[in-house]
Amino acid sequence: MTAQTAKQKASAAAKDANSTAPKVTTESKMEVYLSKTVQLVPGAEPLKPGSHSLIESVATGLIEDGLAVSKESANSEEEGEE
């Protein structure tokens, strides 16, 4: 009985991993400004430089890697140059 349950769980997990249905996330989004083109997922369309709304953890990672700045930071830098 246990082996059958494990197989069912593995099968359900495999179906979920291969699902194209959008995943629900409770993580908030953050506006960032990309300084260069970034490929987030292999095979997906890369994000071009400019303003984007990304999941906060992804946006934070890009900021830490120096590939993006928060939109608030970008706006304050532009205001300081005037």
Side-chain angles (χ1 to χ4, degrees):
M1 196 76 134
T2 305
Q4 183 64 28
T5 303
K7 285 182 182 178
Q8 289 173 340
K9 287 183 180 179
S11 176
K15 286 179 185 173
D16 186 48
N18 292 327
S19 173
T20 58
K23 303 287 187 257
V24 176
T25 182
T26 58
E27 198 166 0
S28 61
K29 294 203 172 205
M30 181 176 176
E31 285 285 324
V32 296
Y33 183 83
L34 295 176
S35 57
K36 54 178 78 173
T37 301
V38 177
Q39 180 92 29
L40 294 178
V41 180
E45 187 73 25
L47 297 177
K48 298 190 185 309
S51 182
H52 297 275
S53 180
L54 302 173
I55 293 174
E56 193 169 353
S57 61
V58 173
T60 302
L62 291 172
I63 291 168
E64 288 173 356
D65 291 342
L67 299 170
V69 294
S70 68
K71 192 159 185 184
E72 294 81 28
S73 295
N75 287 341
S76 64
E77 287 174 13
E78 288 174 5
E79 290 171 4
E81 292 174 3
E82 291 179 17

